[in-house]
Amino acid sequence: ANQPGPGQYIATVALSGRAPVKVTNENGNIQVGDYITSSAKFPGYGMKATRSGVVIGQAIEAFEANGESSGKVEVFMGVGYQQVNNTFVLTDKDAQLTDAASGSLLQQAGTSSTSFVIDQQGTGDILKLQKGGLDKFLVKNDGSVSILTDAADEEVEVFAVSNKDQKLLVVKASGDVEIARNLKVKGSVEAIEVKAGNKLCLGTTCVDEQQLKALLENIGSSQSQYQVGPPPGGSGTPDPNPGQNSPDDPESPPDPEAEDSPQTEGETTQNQE
């Protein structure tokens, strides 16, 4: 009864314990302790698991070969989901995060197997990507986003937005921001220094560098022509009563009594002459 009939064969199925498994090195050589998953190229073979997903067990012996090759390794069976290298990959074939997450934190959205929704029901952060305990990419509960980089080169693009093959917005490690097209600001702009490329425009009026220089020179020339300065040798302070002696003038004013004093006849005749 246990003998296969014509065109049939017996396949050994192991669900627990130790079992020999045919493997390939398509994902690299297999070391003791590596998790084994199904081969991506060869049906019926296993390969080293390099990312989180469903595995068949853990290798208890090594397999090394030069070039793409196949062989057998002893595997301690343990079929199920396993986190490998803390790496998750979302594809249209295996909803890894859906399988790994507890509760309803991650759920497949709709009927598309390539769409995933992170539905944060509590007060914690929505998404946090870390390296060495530091938050490299953080989406907070209120939707605000922060990015932390440690780029040594100031020209490294730490944030970029592209449309097809054109970069629209680039933020570099130096803090410089490059925008491919126009920047429209509805509020005010405060800057220590403003540099314009080819033209400086206000409304529909634009001037280039040479035109702006000529305009400023003309303004400076006009001001110098109409500039009013102190008279030569003067103090620079205008006299409020021109033609009159000031109270502090050392020259004495004419004596009114001398003007009204009677004159002798000889003096009058001399004056008339």
Side-chain angles (χ1 to χ4, degrees):
N2 293 329
Q3 297 298 321
Q8 297 178 342
Y9 63 93
I10 296 177
T12 302
V13 178
L15 299 179
S16 62
R18 300 168 53 172
V21 177
K22 295 185 293 183
V23 294
T24 71
N25 61 349
E26 60 191 272
N27 256 4
N29 292 327
I30 298 174
Q31 305 297 328
V32 175
D34 286 342
Y35 287 98
I36 306 300
T37 187
S38 58
S39 171
K41 296 181 179 180
F42 309 102
Y45 284 78
M47 66 178 184
K48 176 181 177 179
T50 57
R51 60 182 177 87
S52 302
V54 177
V55 301
I56 63 173
Q58 201 168 11
I60 55 179
E61 61 179 351
F63 171 71
E64 296 183 2
N66 295 325
E68 195 171 86
S69 183
S70 62
K72 281 187 179 183
V73 295
E74 199 79 7
V75 174
F76 186 79
M77 305 304 296
V79 179
Y81 185 92
Q82 182 64 44
Q83 293 187 13
V84 178
N85 296 330
N86 234 5
T87 302
F88 297 94
V89 179
L90 303 180
T91 70
D92 58 352
K93 294 182 180 179
D94 52 350
Q96 294 188 38
L97 290 178
T98 303
D99 296 335
S102 59
S104 60
L105 179 61
L106 251 81
Q107 301 175 350
Q108 278 189 293
T111 58
S112 173
S113 59
T114 59
S115 299
F116 294 85
V117 174
I118 300 177
D119 187 8
Q120 171 59 280
Q121 300 293 336
T123 59
D125 296 325
I126 298 175
L127 178 63
K128 181 185 294 186
L129 305 180
Q130 292 186 337
K131 179 182 179 182
L134 298 176
D135 294 336
K136 293 296 185 177
F137 186 87
L138 175 64
V139 181
K140 296 183 179 181
N141 190 270
D142 59 3
S144 58
V145 179
S146 64
I147 301 174
L148 174 63
T149 65
D150 54 0
D153 186 357
E154 292 188 347
E155 293 300 313
V156 171
E157 299 176 357
V158 298
F159 182 78
V161 178
S162 300
N163 181 25
K164 298 180 180 179
D165 58 347
Q166 181 185 13
K167 290 184 178 179
L168 304 179
L169 172 66
V170 174
V171 180
K172 295 187 177 182
S174 62
D176 293 341
V177 179
E178 297 178 358
I179 301 176
R181 295 294 299 276
N182 301 325
L183 175 64
K184 297 182 179 179
V185 181
K186 294 185 177 180
S188 60
V189 177
E190 297 183 5
I192 298 176
E193 182 178 354
V194 177
K195 293 183 178 181
N198 298 325
K199 292 183 179 181
L200 179 63
C201 297
L202 181 61
T204 58
T205 303
C206 298
V207 293
D208 58 21
E209 183 176 1
Q210 297 301 324
Q211 292 171 334
L212 182 59
K213 285 182 178 179
L215 179 62
L216 294 177
E217 290 174 357
N218 291 336
I219 294 175
S221 175
S222 300
Q223 288 179 346
S224 62
Q225 290 178 5
Y226 295 98
Q227 184 175 4
V228 178
S235 62
T237 303
D239 188 354
N241 301 306
Q244 300 181 10
N245 293 327
S246 64
D248 297 332
D249 193 337
E251 182 180 353
S252 299
D255 188 357
E257 295 181 359
E259 294 180 357
D260 297 338
S261 62
Q263 297 179 345
T264 61
E265 184 178 353
E267 291 175 346
T268 304
T269 302
Q270 185 178 2
N271 291 338
Q272 292 176 353
E273 292 178 352

